[in-house]
Amino acid sequence: MLLMNSMLKEKEFSFGYDVHNIRLVEEHVVSNYPAKQFRMSKGCGDDVMNYLKIYNFKRDVELNELIDACDGAGWFEE
């Protein structure tokens, strides 16, 4: 069990102004991850999230491609 826990990863993402592509990321996460496995935050008055944290992150090629397609001032942690 200890080995399994050490392999699980958390990933954090911050997003900028690309509303269309950020909405695609939101839809993918909500459709493919259990609600307890992620946290999304929206700023006051924002239409889409500006922060995403995924607990127990596993390789998700489609999600990575969606995030890479987002423009704007954002960052992510490896």
Side-chain angles (χ1 to χ4, degrees), residues 9-75:
K9 251 180 151 173
E10 290 183 355
K11 275 199 145 182
E12 295 180 272
F13 304 92
S14 239
F15 298 93
Y17 56 81
D18 190 353
V19 175
H20 172 73
N21 284 324
I22 295 169
R23 195 163 279 139
L24 295 176
V25 172
E26 280 185 12
E27 291 169 2
H28 178 81
V29 170
V30 169
S31 298
N32 294 291
Y33 290 85
K36 291 184 178 182
Q37 195 172 345
F38 65 89
R39 185 178 126 215
M40 288 184 190
S41 298
K42 292 183 182 182
C44 184
D46 288 344
D47 294 330
V48 293
M49 71 173 167
N50 52 22
Y51 173 81
L52 170 65
K53 184 173 192 172
I54 299 178
Y55 308 101
N56 303 332
F57 184 81
K58 297 175 184 154
R59 186 168 182 203
D60 186 340
V61 174
E62 185 178 354
L63 177 61
N64 286 336
E65 289 174 357
L66 289 169
I67 290 171
D68 285 343
C70 293
D71 292 327
W75 60 268

